[in-house]
């Protein structure tokens, strides 16, 4: 069958379009960023090569960059340690319900995930609005008459509010991943554990979660990537403010390049960001794989 | 038994409340899109629209230029769905079926496409596309929309192709069928579910994309649908009801699609992600 599956011309015809698009829209641009990251270009006019000065400044003298990474890290941890367990528990409950009811609920829980981030963000910006937003109205209804918080611009609540929107939208995804994973668990496994005297919770902790480890790992990797990726939501709600409390790297590099006129600096941020994202993903994958082998 | 029944009831009640909480924000927006802007400042959480203000929708439709943005979205998204599905299928086929030396490179590129944050390409692509005169054309969106859905789609197709036997293609080849024919009448019909998944996911992702559309397009004639919401914020700052009507209209397309295809979407979402 070499003539069939080893036909060089056919392989080229199949592979080239895909690779060409990837190279054009993904690989070359990163090369561009690597080049402009070494310059002091403002986006127009002349510029000079300034070596690694941008990178040095970002790493040693740019608190906003570190704040943005810290926020991504906080989001990652909250997603993995709070949202995921909640989604897992709910998925476990749903998997024991009658099929029709479970399907209806899963469909409803996933609705926010199919909507545009622009709609989601603007919706929550309105909910969080201090004067007509529904959140303050609810607080008034339950007796907290004096509460008048501008959730997205108050330094005490801004990060929490922003994280809430992201977690709310992502919840349906996590639920769906875990539900699909749970469906692959053979029912004998749980039954065997039950026969051995394990309760519902114990059966899940001791038998089902270890069995689901590959799924959990995959979801964690997705969480890491998507935590770093946040942009539209921030861009359309707080723009990183107040100060840089809710800043994320993508928003920051955009603002630097297109608003502050530091195009070279913005590109250096882009390059560092790619390195951080790829590096972190590889590290997390390696840690998870090692755990998987250990079991 | 009684306590068991009570426990189950509490559980169901909890699940339903959670579902309502998940839908409530949407309901709230829809509700106030049918009221007058001033109603928003009342103390009620929801208010029955006794006299529905359909005029809000008319104004959102006309002043928000929704038909134009809608058509632009259709053009950009339909092209990117078609192209992305086609070339990711080819890529997946060559990776799972064909034998060639540089295959690991292709696999690495596809994997990288999943990991690199797409927004890092915003700055360089602005220059790069500008160099080819693509900025402020729909191509400036179609190309990255294809590129950034390619990896996921390839993984979905790879997952499906791995489950299919090669014998069909082999026997078709023995019978003297040409490659295009093998593709079209042997392989494509077998990958039906994956094709539907890929098209739906690519559609939803690109239909909802905002930041590239915002960055690469500057003329109003070319803007895509999510932009209409942003536009209203400037022009009708205090006209909340119209903004809400606009949000409802923009949300409607994915919701309708989801309503009809929820089973396939729910199955498809996990397919690529978990196998990859």
């Amino acid at each position: 069958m070499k003539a069939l599956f080893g036909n060089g011309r056919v392989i080229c015809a199949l592979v080239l379009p895909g690779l060409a698009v990837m190279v054009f829209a993904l690989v070359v641009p990163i090369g561009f960023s690597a080049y402009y990251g070494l310059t002091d270009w403002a986006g127009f006019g002349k510029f000079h090569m300034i070596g690694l000065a941008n990178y040095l400044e970002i790493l040693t003298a740019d608190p906003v960059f570190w704040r943005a990474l810290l926020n991504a890290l906080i989001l990652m941890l909250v997603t993995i340690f709070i949202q995921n367990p909640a989604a897992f528990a709910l998925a476990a409950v749903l998997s024991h319900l009658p099929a029709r009811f479970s399907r209806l609920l899963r469909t409803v829980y996933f609705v926010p995930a199919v909507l545009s981030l622009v709609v989601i963000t603007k919706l929550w910006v309105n909910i969080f609005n201090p004067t007509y937003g529904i959140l303050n109205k609810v607080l008034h209804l339950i007796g907290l008459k004096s509460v008048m918080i501008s959730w997205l611009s108050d330094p005490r609540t801004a990060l929490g509010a922003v994280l809430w929107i992201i977690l709310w939208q992502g919840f349906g995804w996590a639920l769906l991943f875990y539900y699909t994973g749970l469906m692959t668990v053979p029912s004998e496994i749980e039954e065997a554990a039950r026969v051995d005297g394990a309760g519902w919770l114990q059966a899940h902790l001791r038998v089902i979660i270890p069995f689901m480890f590959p799924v959990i790992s995959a979801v964690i990797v997705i969480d890491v990537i998507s935590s770093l990726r946040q942009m539209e939501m921030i861009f359309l709600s707080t723009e990183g403010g107040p100060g840089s409390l809710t800043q994320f790297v993508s928003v920051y590099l955009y603002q630097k390049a297109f608003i502050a006129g530091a195009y070279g600096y913005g590109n250096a941020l882009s390059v560092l960001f790619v390195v951080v994202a790829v590096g972190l993903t590889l590290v997390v994958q390696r840690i998870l794989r090692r755990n998987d082998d250990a079991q | 038994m009684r306590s068991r029944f009570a426990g189950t009831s509490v559980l169901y009640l909890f699940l339903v409340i959670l579902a309502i909480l998940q839908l409530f924000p949407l309901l709230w927006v829809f509700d106030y899109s049918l009221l007058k802007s001033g109603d928003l400042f009342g103390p009620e959480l929801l208010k029955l629209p006794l006299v529905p203000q359909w005029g809000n929708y008319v104004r959102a439709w006309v002043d928000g230029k929704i038909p134009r943005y809608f058509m632009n979205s259709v053009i950009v998204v339909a092209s990117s769905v078609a192209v992305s599905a086609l070339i990711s299928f080819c890529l997946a086929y060559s990776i799972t079926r064909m034998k060639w030396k540089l295959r690991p490179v292709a696999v690495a590129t596809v994997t990288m496409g999943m990991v690199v944050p797409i927004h890092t390409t915003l700055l360089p692509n602005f220059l790069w596309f500008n160099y080819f005169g693509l900025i402020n054309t729909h191509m400036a969106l179609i190309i990255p929309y294809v590129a950034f859905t390619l990896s996921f789609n390839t993984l979905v197709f790879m997952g499906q192709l791995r489950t299919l036997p090669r014998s069909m293609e082999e026997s078709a080849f023995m019978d003297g069928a040409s490659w295009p024919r093998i593709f079209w009448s042997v392989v494509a019909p077998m990958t039906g579910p994956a094709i539907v998944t890929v098209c739906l996911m690519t559609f939803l992702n690109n239909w909802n994309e905002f930041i590239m559309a915002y960055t690469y397009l500057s003329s109003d004639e070319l803007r895509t649908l999510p932009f209409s919401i942003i536009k209203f914020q400037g022009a009708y700052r205090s006209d909340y009801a119209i903004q809400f009507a606009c949000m409802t209209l923009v949300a409607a397309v994915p919701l309708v699609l989801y309503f009809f295809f929820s089973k396939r979407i729910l199955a498809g979402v996990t397919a690529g992600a978990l196998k990859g």
Side-chain angles (χ1 to χ4, degrees):
Chain A
M1 277 300 133
K2 192 179 179 307
L4 177 64
F5 294 118
N7 186 331
R9 276 168 51 200
V10 173
I11 293 173
C12 278
L14 292 177
V15 175
L16 279 181
L19 282 192
V21 175
M22 295 282 271
V23 168
F24 185 84
L26 195 70
V27 180
V28 172
I30 293 175
F32 259 61
S33 278
Y35 174 75
Y36 285 106
L38 300 171
T39 71
D40 62 356
W41 198 30
F44 51 87
K46 287 184 179 154
F47 61 88
H48 312 91
M49 296 299 288
I50 53 169
L52 295 174
N54 284 332
Y55 293 95
L56 219 61
E57 192 184 333
I58 295 168
L59 292 173
T60 60
D62 189 344
V64 181
F65 174 71
W66 293 104
R67 177 75 220 189
L69 282 185
L70 176 67
N71 284 341
L73 185 69
I74 294 173
L75 175 61
M76 239 174 259
L77 295 177
V78 174
T79 311
I80 293 171
F81 291 105
I82 297 177
Q83 185 212 52
N84 276 358
F88 189 97
L90 190 60
V93 170
L94 287 181
S95 69
H96 288 276
L97 292 183
R100 280 178 75 187
F101 194 55
S102 150
R103 202 170 106 79
L104 176 70
L105 286 175
R106 271 181 290 133
T107 310
V108 170
Y109 294 144
F110 196 68
V111 163
V114 298
L115 294 178
S116 159
L117 270 174
V118 180
V119 174
I120 298 278
T121 308
K122 286 303 167 193
L123 193 149
W124 279 98
V125 166
N126 282 309
I127 290 176
F128 285 136
N129 185 290
T131 45
Y132 62 81
I134 202 160
L135 188 55
N136 281 347
K137 279 186 195 170
V138 171
L139 292 177
H140 288 194
L141 277 182
I142 59 172
L144 300 162
K145 294 267 185 236
S146 58
V147 175
M148 202 63 186
I149 302 172
S150 17
W151 298 92
L152 286 165
S153 49
D154 188 319
R156 286 167 304 172
T157 55
L159 186 60
V162 161
L163 293 183
W164 169 256
I165 308 176
I166 298 172
L167 294 176
W168 181 80
Q169 207 229 0
F171 187 78
W173 292 95
L175 177 71
L176 192 62
F177 286 143
Y178 285 130
Y179 183 83
T180 313
L182 280 167
M183 289 290 107
T184 65
V185 178
S187 55
E188 299 89 62
I189 289 194
E190 193 184 344
E191 280 158 20
R194 298 276 208 136
V195 169
D196 291 346
W200 189 82
L201 187 65
Q202 271 191 320
H204 274 83
L205 287 180
R206 294 223 185 119
V207 187
I208 296 184
I209 290 183
F211 186 87
M212 291 257 300
F213 198 78
V215 174
I216 298 174
S217 307
V219 178
I220 289 178
V221 171
I222 294 170
D223 288 337
V224 169
I225 297 172
S226 72
S227 298
L228 287 165
R229 251 182 204 186
Q230 292 304 322
M231 174 163 195
E232 271 105 334
M233 228 285 301
I234 308 294
F235 190 80
L236 294 166
S237 60
T238 63
E239 295 180 64
S244 55
L245 269 181
T246 61
Q247 190 61 279
F248 278 75
V249 183
S250 312
V251 182
Y252 183 48
L253 65 89
Y254 189 94
Q255 289 170 342
K256 270 285 177 192
F258 292 128
I259 298 165
Y263 188 81
Y265 194 84
N267 276 297
L269 281 168
S270 296
V271 173
L272 272 182
F273 189 28
V274 172
V275 172
V276 169
V278 174
L280 194 62
T281 311
L282 289 177
V283 168
V284 169
Q285 256 170 347
R286 177 151 299 182
I287 293 172
L288 291 171
R289 199 163 295 157
R290 190 174 299 156
N291 270 341
D292 200 19
D293 292 342
Q295 278 175 357
Chain B
M1 269 330 267
R2 165 158 280 194
S3 74
R4 173 114 194 225
F5 176 74
T8 318
S9 310
V10 170
L11 180 67
Y12 274 61
L13 190 68
F14 170 75
L15 292 174
V16 170
I17 290 175
L18 205 62
I20 292 171
L21 280 178
Q22 198 78 336
L23 292 182
F24 187 78
L26 299 174
L27 191 66
W28 182 65
V29 163
F30 180 62
D31 182 30
Y32 281 91
S33 73
L34 289 172
L35 295 164
K36 293 183 178 137
S37 289
D39 289 331
L40 199 55
F41 295 89
E44 311 90 338
L45 298 185
L46 291 176
K47 193 174 173 185
L48 214 58
L50 292 175
V51 189
Q53 305 288 316
W54 296 110
N56 294 334
Y57 279 87
V58 176
R59 285 187 62 196
W61 186 263
V62 177
D63 296 349
K65 293 197 188 158
I66 284 186
R68 151 131 300 168
Y69 293 149
F70 183 89
M71 277 316 293
N72 288 334
S73 276
V74 169
I75 293 169
V76 169
V77 175
S79 339
S80 59
V81 167
V83 176
S84 179
L86 185 69
I87 64 183
S88 60
F89 180 80
C90 294
L91 201 54
Y93 190 87
S94 61
I95 290 174
T96 46
R97 287 288 209 266
M98 313 293 274
K99 292 188 174 56
W100 42 298
K101 269 196 210 133
L102 291 174
R103 198 163 59 167
V105 179
V107 176
T109 315
V110 169
T111 318
M112 194 185 89
M114 293 290 283
V115 179
V116 170
I118 55 175
H119 304 123
T120 56
T121 60
L122 278 168
L123 314 187
N125 269 347
F126 189 81
L127 271 195
W128 179 234
F129 289 168
N130 199 25
Y131 178 77
F132 292 98
L134 296 173
I135 289 298
N136 208 24
T137 69
H138 282 154
M139 281 306 279
L141 295 186
I142 295 172
I143 294 172
Y145 285 3
V146 170
F148 293 121
T149 50
L150 202 58
S151 291
F152 176 84
N153 292 347
T154 305
L155 291 175
V156 173
F157 279 132
M158 282 167 64
Q160 168 106 42
L161 283 169
R162 282 207 186 98
T163 65
L164 299 175
R166 291 154 180 254
S167 51
M168 299 277 279
E169 288 130 276
E170 286 168 356
S171 57
F173 181 69
M174 295 298 197
D175 292 344
S178 63
W179 266 108
R181 197 171 162 75
I182 292 179
F183 255 0
W184 189 247
S185 29
V186 180
V187 187
M190 294 194 295
T191 35
I195 294 176
V196 176
T197 298
V198 157
C199 289
L200 285 170
M201 294 314 292
T202 312
F203 180 92
L204 285 177
N205 268 327
N206 292 343
W207 187 266
N208 292 336
E209 203 284 331
F210 168 72
I211 201 81
M212 286 189 246
Y214 182 77
T215 309
Y216 300 149
L217 301 180
S218 56
S219 71
D220 204 37
E221 305 294 289
L222 297 171
R223 300 265 196 205
T224 50
L225 200 50
F227 189 77
S228 57
I229 297 175
I230 307 304
K231 188 184 157 94
F232 265 105
Q233 288 209 304
Y236 299 86
R237 190 163 279 283
S238 58
D239 233 335
Y240 299 103
I242 295 188
Q243 290 184 29
F244 281 24
C246 195
M247 283 163 70
T248 309
L249 285 172
V250 173
V253 174
L255 279 181
V256 168
L257 202 69
Y258 180 61
F259 182 77
F260 283 111
F261 293 102
S262 66
K263 205 172 167 187
R264 274 251 59 87
I265 292 178
L266 294 179
V269 166
T270 46
L274 292 185
K275 274 173 196 147

